[in-house]
């Protein structure tokens, strides 16, 4: 700001030479100087400059003394020279700029042809389970006009309704505006709803029932708040880059754990007649450059993923979500193989709708849609939030543009009908057409909260500068504890408790007692001294929700930031719970509320037990906290956490033995993902370490459950903790500087992310995937493997089209354009997105539409498809397993039994019938169960492996293939702690079955 008046002053006086020179020294310039903090350093420079200019004139004058100056001609030639110089400079600048522009344009343009074209878009209604919903949808959609259909496909614009996404309604036929709301851990911008633990926390619990219960709680709360579609769960990012800003919203870097968690969550959400959205498809593995211009590059980053890696890693959890019947999928911001995910026909038409048999609708991420017709043809069904290339620009790429595109036949009527049928069928499929379960808007349904205000009365369309429409928007409906859903606060606590992973427990320091209980203390009063150290133990002094979308790291960390965060209804901080739980009569608790290490040694030395709290935060790229721009800058604890642990551990208790500090320090880490602990993990004073992930509102209560041994820790790491960030591999770092106008990120490590990378390169992690301690011990024995005949054929049964349902027949004729023109006298809100056209003329073809390459080629259905999630035969049991789990310790506990498979390293090639090498991970998780066992008891645990579990994706035959050779199956307690192994022969038939 201070420099502004100076600029304005200079620009206001372009002909300053004609101004009296003294104007620079006039009052104006004083005013400028007063505003200019640099004035003292600037003034001498200005003086020097004028001085040197004067001396040039002087020396010139001396040189000219010999001959009488021909003043006017000299002046002309000097002027001409100046003009040439000026002209040259301008031309050079112009050329440089154009060259730069050309480079940006060329380099910014997408590389053509790197993603296979896949047209036409497969129609929904081909799966028997959905056929009734499609029939009902066809009846309704058959009565709709063109604009009514378009209204359903297009959002009304950012903050043009009460939810983060709002579609247009068809009031005439009782089809409501749909409310779409984030997100993966609860309900964003919603009052009185539960702030559940994040995706990474539920994944760390490895508890399938809890995954379902968490989803069910979200679904019920959503229905009670009038939300039709939840924008979650998330399985993309998967976690390819350990520092990725949004990994915590999803579950795990392992596709089976992520896929299982997603499927259970979806079953839970949809059991409440609320539609779930699996997101973001696909390759949105980092925040930097995820969107065009957001990070300064004209195009979004391209995630370049090969076919096999896409199938075996990134698409796997999406396939599981579709198998679970998910209603919607969200395509991501980034490009995939240099084609925007939301107009990538291979991904949406080919993989999602054909191969994986998706029957619901594809919605764009918010502003991820980059084209109108092309995205429609590539399989996008819903434009969110409906705006065009910019927020609230009122220039939707669909809306009236889609109406025109259908009228001038650029988009076939059949494609529009399919979009609408998919949305309406999903609505019926999840019981939203049932007025008793889902009272529609005319019966008082619809959202009963506003995303944009906490006041009771508010604007219905706050995004429009014209809107003065106010109404009661917040009804403050309580949803956390209901007769229908039970107590969600208690559920949140249970999930947070089970999501805590105990990674170090030296000398069995944990659990700790609540009272001194005769424990040694040097304090004269005999009270045990306990110190709580670190900002992360205490609430944010400014309030739990002080930072919008939790976009800062202040106080204890309950969740990451961005659209995946929610308002905390309350937050039980660790310090609060600890104060509450310790027996005040025998224990004295001391608070150290900051991360400052100044003089912490004295306070630490006065304690018998030290609890240190540290954290590491990240979030969505539209918010930046300090230097963290969404993605983490590194994998270390933030805000000086390492130093705090080191200092406390070195001084706690003030005791040394043999020159080494001996202390009882327990570290609690709240974190968004893999965090490097090397700066202190091996210090002798660090006796216990708990990784409490992102616990949500019940943080402190969950922690004390584990600390005091009320609950035996059962969390296991859903990722690997390496000894350094480099250990995750060369390609595991965030791309922070663009390597082109379209940043390119090649997924060259292929299948080898997280533990697969560590295993392949024989790198010893600090704590491996699946690792976690318990207060008891377990034993596995008697693994019995029973292979079934499936393993005798390499390929799944051919796709059976006879079992397919038939998509409904709709009238394919282009409707009358007159009916799409703005109705007379209708009030229009500025920037609001409508489906109407101005006049019939505007819908006439305007030149030839340049269809995407390959649009004229009819792509055949793939044999790999045939049902929701892929060819149904992929899910036929290939082997069943059984083994015994014994609790060999003293207390009841839950073990997570994990099944890893290792495919043979060579196989008989299905095409050539020759033996070829098979590049495959050392081991891959394929199944898991969490089992509770009483001390001294034994439990039988059963698993089954499907055909897909024992197959690899063959890129040449475009199918899942069971290899030939020995399949090794191991059962264990982590990816590196396998206890029981067995193997059997995969005899694969070779060739087509
Ligand atoms: C996020 C989505 C979210 C949407 C709506 C986008 O920025 O990427 O995950 O659902 O906003 O809030």
């Amino acid at each position: 700001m201070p420099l502004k008046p100076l600029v304005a002053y200079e620009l206001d006086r372009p002909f300053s030479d004609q101004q009296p020179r003294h104007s620079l020294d006039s009052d104006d310039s004083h005013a400028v100087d007063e505003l200019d903090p640099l004035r003292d350093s600037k003034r001498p420079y200005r003086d020097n400059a004028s001085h040197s200019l004067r001396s040039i004139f002087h020396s010139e004058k001396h040189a000219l003394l010999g001959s009488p100056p021909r003043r006017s001609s000299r002046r002309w030639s000097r002027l001409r020279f100046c003009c040439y110089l000026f002209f040259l400079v301008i031309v050079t600048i112009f050329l440089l700029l154009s060259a730069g522009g050309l480079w940006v344009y060329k380099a910014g343009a997408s590389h053509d042809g790197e993603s296979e074209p896949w047209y036409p878009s497969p129609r929904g209604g081909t799966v028997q389970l959905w056929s009734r919903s499609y029939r009902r949808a066809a009846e309704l959609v058959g009565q709709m006009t063109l604009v009514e259909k378009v209204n359903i496909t297009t959002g009304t614009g950012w903050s043009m309704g009460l939810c983060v996404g709002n579609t247009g309604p068809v009031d005439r036929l009782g089809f409501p505006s749909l409310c779409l709301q984030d997100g993966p851990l609860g309900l964003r911008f919603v009052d009185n709803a539960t702030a559940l633990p994040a995706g990474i926390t539920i994944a760390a619990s490895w508890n399938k029932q809890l995954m379902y219960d968490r989803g069910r709680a979200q679904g019920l709360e959503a229905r009670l708040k009038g939300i039709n579609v939840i924008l979650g769960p998330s399985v993309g990012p998967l976690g390819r880059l350990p520092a990725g800003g949004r990994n915590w919203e999803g579950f795990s870097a392992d596709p089976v754990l992520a896929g299982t968690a997603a499927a259970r969550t979806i079953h839970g959400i949809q059991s409440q007649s609320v539609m779930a959205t699996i997101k973001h498809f696909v390759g949105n593995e980092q925040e930097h450059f995820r969107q065009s211009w957001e990070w300064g590059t004209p195009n979004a980053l391209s995630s370049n993923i090969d076919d096999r890696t896409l199938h075996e890693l990134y698409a796997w959890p999406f396939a599981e979500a579709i198998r679970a019947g998910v209603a919607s999928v969200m395509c991501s911001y980034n490009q995939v193989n240099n084609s925007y995910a939301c107009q990538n026909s291979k991904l949406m038409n080919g993989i999602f709708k054909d191969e994986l048999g998706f029957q619901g609708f594809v919605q764009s991420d918010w502003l991820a849609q980059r084209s109108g017709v092309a995205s429609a043809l590539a399989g996008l069904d819903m434009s969110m939030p409906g705006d065009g290339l910019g927020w609230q620009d009122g220039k939707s790429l669909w809306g009236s543009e889609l109406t025109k595109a259908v009228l001038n036949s650029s988009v076939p009527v059949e494609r529009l009908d399919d979009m609408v049928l998919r949305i309406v069928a999903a609505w019926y499929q999840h019981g939203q057409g049932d007025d008793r379960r889902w009272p529609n808007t005319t019966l008082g349904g619809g959202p009963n909260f506003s995303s944009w205000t906490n006041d009771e009365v508010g604007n219905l369309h706050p995004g429009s500068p014209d809107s003065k429409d106010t109404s009661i928007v917040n009804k403050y409906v309580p949803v956390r504890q209901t007769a229908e859903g039970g107590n969600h606060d208690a559920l949140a606590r249970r999930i947070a408790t089970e999501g805590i992973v105990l990674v170090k427990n030296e000398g069995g320091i944990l659990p700790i007692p609540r009272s001194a209980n005769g424990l040694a203390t040097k304090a004269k009063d005999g009270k045990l001294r306990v110190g709580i150290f670190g900002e992360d133990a205490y609430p944010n002094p400014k309030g739990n929700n002080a930072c919008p979308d939790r976009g800062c790291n202040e106080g204890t960390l309950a969740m990451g930031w961005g659209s995946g965060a929610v308002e905390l209804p309350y937050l039980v901080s660790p310090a609060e719970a600890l104060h509450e739980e310790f027996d005040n009569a025998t224990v004295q608790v001391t608070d150290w509320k900051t991360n400052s290490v100044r003089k912490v040694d004295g306070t630490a030395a006065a304690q018998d037990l030290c609890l240190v709290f540290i954290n590491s935060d990240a979030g969505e790229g539209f918010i930046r906290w300090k230097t963290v721009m969404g993605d983490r800058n590194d994998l270390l604890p933030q805000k000086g956490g390492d130093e705090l642990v080191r200092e406390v551990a070195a001084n706690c208790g003030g005791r040394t033995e043999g020159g080494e500090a001996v202390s009882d320090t327990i570290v609690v880490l709240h974190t968004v993902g893999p965090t490097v602990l090397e700066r202190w993990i091996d210090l002798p004073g660090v006796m216990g370490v708990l990784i409490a992930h992102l616990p949500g509102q019940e943080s402190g209560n969950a922690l004390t459950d584990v600390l005091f041994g009320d609950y035996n820790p059962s969390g296991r790491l859903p990722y690997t903790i390496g000894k350094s960030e480099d250990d995750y591999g060369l390609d595991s770092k965030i791309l922070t500087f663009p390597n082109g106008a379209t940043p390119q990120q090649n997924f060259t490590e292929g299948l080898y992310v997280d533990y697969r990378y560590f295993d392949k390169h024989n790198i010893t992690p600090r704590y491996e995937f699946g690792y976690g301690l318990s207060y008891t011990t377990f034993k596995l024995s008697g693994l019995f493997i029973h292979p079934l005949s499936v393993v005798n054929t390499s390929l799944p049964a051919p796709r059976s089209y006879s079992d397919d349902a038939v998509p409904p027949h709709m009238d394919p004729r282009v409707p009358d354009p007159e009916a799409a023109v703005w109705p007379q006298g209708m009030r229009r809100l500025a920037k609001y997105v409508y489906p109407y056209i101005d006049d019939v003329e505007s819908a006439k073809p305007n030149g030839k539409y340049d269809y995407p390459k390959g649009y004229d080629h009819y792509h055949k259905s793939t044999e790999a498809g045939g049902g929701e999630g892929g060819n149904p035969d992929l899910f036929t049991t290939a082997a069943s397993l059984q083994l015994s789990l014994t609790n060999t310790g003293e207390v009841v506990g839950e073990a997570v039994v994990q099944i890893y498979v290792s495919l043979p390293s060579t196989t008989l090639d299905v095409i050539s019938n020759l033996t070829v090498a098979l590049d495959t991970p050392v081991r891959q998780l394929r199944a898991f169960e969490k089992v509770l066992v009483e001390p001294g008891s034994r439990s039988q645990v059963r698993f089954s492996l499907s055909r897909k579990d024992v197959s690899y994706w063959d890129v040449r035959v475009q199918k899942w293939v069971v290899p030939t050779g020995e399949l090794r199956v191991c059962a264990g307690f982590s990816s590196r702690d396998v206890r029981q192994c067995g193997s059997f022969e995969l005899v694969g038939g070779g060739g087509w079955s």
Side-chain angles (χ1 to χ4, degrees):
M1 289 317 275
L3 290 176
K4 255 196 169 154
L6 180 61
V7 174
Y9 176 87
E10 288 175 348
L11 289 178
D12 283 346
R13 290 164 173 78
F15 308 113
S16 55
D17 278 347
Q18 292 159 25
Q19 305 278 332
R21 294 295 298 175
H22 73 257
S23 67
L24 259 184
D25 294 321
S26 71
D27 288 16
D28 271 357
S29 76
H30 287 304
V32 166
D33 277 354
E34 250 161 47
L35 287 167
D36 184 357
L38 300 175
R39 63 184 185 276
D40 291 339
S41 54
K42 272 190 172 167
R43 188 175 277 135
Y45 168 76
R46 216 191 287 158
D47 288 344
N48 287 345
S50 52
H51 172 76
S52 58
L53 270 181
R54 258 199 305 272
S55 46
I56 290 171
F57 274 119
H58 284 163
S59 49
E60 249 183 355
K61 211 174 177 178
H62 285 301
L64 294 171
L65 273 180
S67 48
R70 290 190 351 246
R71 292 187 72 96
S72 64
S73 79
R74 286 205 73 86
R75 187 177 284 157
W76 269 116
S77 65
R78 246 198 348 252
L79 211 64
R80 214 175 304 136
F81 175 73
C82 279
C83 283
Y84 285 146
L85 209 66
F86 180 71
F87 181 70
L88 205 70
V89 169
I90 294 292
V91 167
T92 315
I93 291 176
F94 176 76
L95 286 175
L96 282 175
L97 282 179
S98 336
L102 197 70
W103 179 79
V104 168
Y105 174 76
K106 284 219 145 195
S110 290
H111 306 221
D112 207 11
E114 288 181 6
S115 187
E116 184 197 355
W118 212 109
Y119 299 100
S121 190
R123 293 172 61 196
T126 51
V127 166
Q128 292 295 354
L129 258 179
W130 283 69
S131 52
R132 184 161 175 268
S133 302
Y134 266 89
R135 268 201 309 277
R136 294 178 75 189
E139 256 172 53
L140 196 73
V141 178
Q143 302 169 53
M144 290 182 189
T145 64
L146 173 60
V147 285
E148 285 172 339
K149 290 177 188 172
V150 168
N151 222 22
I152 289 177
T153 65
T154 310
T156 53
W158 179 244
S159 60
M160 299 294 177
L162 298 175
C163 305
V164 298
N166 310 273
T167 56
V170 182
D171 293 332
R172 186 176 67 89
L173 299 172
F175 191 80
S177 156
L178 299 180
C179 163
L180 294 85
Q181 196 74 6
D182 291 295
L185 72 73
L187 308 179
R188 184 186 184 199
F189 296 151
V190 171
D191 62 276
N192 292 314
T194 312
L196 289 156
I200 196 144
T201 315
I202 186 75
S205 82
W206 294 65
N207 184 330
K208 295 181 191 173
Q209 181 62 43
L210 271 189
M211 290 167 182
Y212 174 87
D213 293 345
R214 178 175 171 273
R216 183 179 183 278
Q218 288 184 26
L220 175 61
E221 294 193 5
R223 177 160 53 79
L224 297 177
K225 290 284 184 184
I227 295 165
N228 303 82
V229 183
I230 288 187
L231 303 175
S234 169
V235 291
L238 187 73
R240 169 180 185 256
L241 312 178
R246 298 184 74 179
N247 294 350
W248 59 273
E249 290 184 45
F251 303 106
S252 166
D254 179 86
V256 168
L257 179 51
T260 307
R264 298 288 166 136
T265 307
I266 290 161
H267 281 304
I269 293 175
Q270 297 192 159
S271 73
Q272 297 308 303
S273 300
V274 168
M275 296 185 248
T277 306
I278 192 78
K279 67 186 190 183
H280 310 82
F281 196 59
V282 64
N284 191 169
E285 294 291 323
Q286 65 165 51
E287 291 304 278
H288 283 74
F289 316 118
R290 65 175 184 162
Q291 250 184 309
S292 54
W293 295 121
E294 192 182 30
W295 300 83
T297 54
N299 269 313
L301 165 144
S302 175
S303 293
N304 303 324
I305 314 175
D306 68 85
D307 189 34
R308 181 168 173 207
T309 304
L310 181 71
H311 277 83
E312 293 191 26
L313 214 54
Y314 298 98
W316 183 297
F318 286 94
E320 287 303 294
I322 296 175
R323 213 149 75 87
V326 73
S328 180
V329 58
M330 188 188 288
C331 49
S332 55
Y333 282 124
N334 55 293
Q335 304 193 54
V336 179
N337 299 336
N338 285 298
S339 165
Y340 276 99
C342 289
Q343 64 189 49
N344 187 315
S345 61
K346 168 72 182 175
L347 289 182
M348 293 190 288
N349 289 342
I351 305 272
F352 238 79
K353 292 183 175 174
D354 179 54
E355 185 180 326
L356 301 180
F358 178 54
Q359 301 295 304
F361 59 95
V362 181
Q363 58 172 298
S364 68
D365 197 344
W366 270 230
L367 253 50
Q369 186 190 13
R370 309 312 291 167
S371 62
V373 175
S375 58
L377 302 178
L380 185 70
D381 303 307
M382 184 187 276
S383 161
M384 273 294 143
D387 305 317
L389 296 173
W391 297 98
Q392 285 173 356
D393 62 1
K395 296 181 196 151
S396 183
L397 294 163
W398 281 4
S400 55
E401 294 302 312
L402 183 57
T403 306
K404 285 182 206 165
V406 172
L407 288 173
N408 67 28
S409 298
S410 326
V411 171
V413 173
E414 187 182 79
R415 179 72 268 270
L416 174 71
D417 280 342
D418 180 57
M419 295 175 189
V420 188
L421 283 171
R422 284 173 174 276
I423 299 166
V424 177
W427 182 76
Y428 277 124
Q429 180 82 353
H430 297 291
Q432 297 196 3
D434 179 350
D435 269 350
R436 283 157 309 169
R437 188 110 165 128
W438 261 97
N440 69 23
T441 337
T442 44
L443 297 176
N448 51 35
F449 69 94
S450 167
S451 301
W452 322 114
T453 176
N454 292 330
D455 299 339
E456 189 177 9
V457 174
N459 196 321
L460 289 171
H461 320 288
S464 171
D466 288 0
S467 171
K468 309 262 179 303
D469 310 328
T470 55
S471 177
I472 293 185
V473 289
N474 280 309
K475 296 189 184 152
Y476 310 110
V477 177
V479 294
R480 299 204 324 268
Q481 290 174 31
T482 56
E484 229 180 317
N487 185 339
H488 292 172
D489 296 343
L491 174 67
R493 176 175 183 161
R494 179 68 188 201
I495 299 167
T497 306
E498 292 204 28
I500 296 175
V501 185
L502 173 65
V503 294
K504 184 171 183 184
N505 195 11
E506 228 29 44
I509 188 171
L510 287 161
I512 54 172
R514 283 181 165 80
S515 61
N517 238 353
L519 289 175
T521 170
K522 53 188 182 315
K524 291 209 185 71
D525 58 9
K527 276 191 170 184
L528 192 76
R529 296 293 194 267
V530 176
I532 305 176
F533 297 86
E535 182 189 312
D536 182 69
Y538 302 89
N540 179 351
K542 294 187 189 129
N544 295 330
N545 295 314
C547 306
D549 282 321
R550 313 299 75 76
C552 64
N553 184 359
E554 304 294 336
T556 193
L557 184 65
M559 61 188 75
W561 72 70
S563 62
V566 301
E567 307 300 298
L568 286 145
Y570 64 86
L571 173 56
V572 181
S573 70
E576 186 186 337
L578 286 166
H579 275 280
E580 179 78 27
E581 291 294 320
F582 272 119
D583 168 27
N584 290 335
T586 58
V587 178
Q588 182 171 318
V589 178
T590 300
D591 294 300
W592 184 270
K593 295 189 178 179
T594 71
N595 285 7
S596 164
V597 291
R598 229 184 115 242
K599 299 203 180 145
V600 78
D601 51 345
T603 307
Q607 311 303 320
D608 300 303
L609 173 70
C610 300
L611 303 171
V612 192
F613 290 80
I614 56 173
N615 69 31
S616 186
D617 198 1
E620 195 175 343
F622 73 89
I623 296 178
R624 284 141 204 219
W625 168 72
K626 298 197 170 160
T627 59
V628 185
M629 302 174 144
D631 303 313
R632 283 187 288 171
N633 295 332
D634 52 46
L635 301 184
L636 298 171
Q638 293 164 353
K639 303 188 97 171
D642 282 333
E643 291 68 34
L644 184 67
V645 175
R646 290 177 65 87
E647 202 60 23
V648 173
N651 293 290
C652 183
R655 288 176 289 140
T656 51
E657 267 171 30
E660 291 227 305
V662 188
S663 76
D664 285 343
T665 297
I666 294 168
V667 181
V668 177
L669 170 70
H670 288 120
T671 185
V672 288
T675 308
V676 171
L677 315 171
E678 295 306 301
R679 294 187 180 170
W680 45 262
I681 191 75
D682 277 335
L683 291 182
V686 176
M687 303 294 282
V689 180
L690 290 164
I691 300 183
H693 293 111
L694 302 173
Q697 66 187 35
E698 284 284 332
S699 174
N701 289 335
L703 186 75
T704 51
D705 286 347
V706 170
L707 270 180
F708 294 119
D710 302 344
Y711 180 77
N712 186 351
S714 64
R716 304 290 181 258
L717 292 176
Y719 51 77
T720 297
I721 297 186
K723 292 186 178 166
S724 84
E725 192 175 353
D726 290 343
D727 286 357
Y728 292 86
L730 277 182
D731 292 326
S732 71
K733 305 264 173 68
I734 304 287
L735 181 75
T736 47
F737 292 103
N739 53 11
T742 301
Q744 299 289 311
Q745 195 160 55
N746 300 326
F747 288 32
T748 44
E749 73 293 333
L751 303 172
Y752 302 100
V753 303
D754 200 77
Y755 67 92
R756 297 155 191 245
Y757 184 86
F758 282 74
D759 290 348
K760 180 179 169 83
H761 298 281
N762 220 356
I763 299 166
T764 307
R766 170 55 66 174
Y767 299 120
E768 70 275 11
F769 174 82
Y771 173 82
L773 300 171
S774 161
Y775 296 153
T776 187
T777 47
F778 297 99
K779 193 181 108 190
L780 287 175
S781 57
L783 174 65
F784 173 76
I785 307 175
H786 179 50
L788 297 158
S789 60
V790 159
V791 299
N792 297 336
T793 52
S794 299
L795 301 167
R799 181 171 180 167
S800 154
Y801 295 92
S802 57
D803 291 348
D804 286 359
V806 182
H809 175 75
M810 308 293 287
D811 184 350
R813 284 171 304 174
V814 176
D816 176 11
E818 283 291 351
V821 176
W822 280 95
Q824 287 229 324
M826 187 177 151
R827 189 169 74 102
R828 304 182 195 184
L829 291 176
K831 313 271 176 166
Y832 194 94
V833 177
Y834 296 95
Y836 302 105
I837 55 173
D838 287 336
D839 47 46
V840 171
E841 228 14 61
S842 65
K844 294 223 167 106
N846 176 13
K848 195 173 146 280
Y849 177 70
D850 201 8
Y851 281 99
K853 264 198 195 136
Y855 183 63
D856 51 358
H857 173 78
Y858 186 92
H859 210 297
K860 259 188 30 223
S861 291
T862 168
E863 282 288 311
E868 282 182 288
N871 184 320
D873 194 25
L874 290 176
F875 306 103
T876 310
T877 303
S880 49
L881 324 172
Q882 192 177 317
L883 74 164
S884 304
L885 169 72
T886 313
N887 183 340
T888 49
E890 311 278 290
V891 287
V892 63
E894 285 153 288
V896 178
V897 184
Q898 303 162 36
I899 304 294
Y900 293 88
V901 303
S902 309
L903 298 186
S905 56
T906 59
T907 180
L908 213 54
D909 178 57
V910 279
I911 291 180
S912 65
N913 229 6
L914 297 173
T915 301
V916 293
L918 178 63
D919 182 21
T920 180
V922 175
R923 63 182 69 89
Q924 313 183 63
L925 179 79
R926 283 295 185 248
F928 62 90
E929 283 303 334
K930 190 170 197 175
V931 190
L932 183 131
V933 199
E934 296 290 334
S937 293
R938 199 164 64 178
S939 185
Q940 285 299 103
V941 197
R942 291 186 176 78
F943 298 94
S944 63
L945 296 176
S946 68
R947 169 184 277 280
K948 191 177 175 187
D949 287 333
V950 298
S951 298
Y952 67 97
W953 176 256
D954 190 313
V955 296
R956 292 154 319 139
V957 297
Q958 287 291 299
K959 285 182 184 171
W960 289 94
V961 174
V962 177
T964 52
E966 189 189 78
L967 181 91
R968 198 168 153 77
V969 181
C970 290
F973 296 125
S974 83
S975 62
R976 296 230 163 170
D977 179 13
V978 291
R979 303 284 178 96
Q980 290 269 298
C981 291
S983 57
F984 61 92
E985 280 298 309
L986 300 167
V987 283
W992 307 96
S993 62

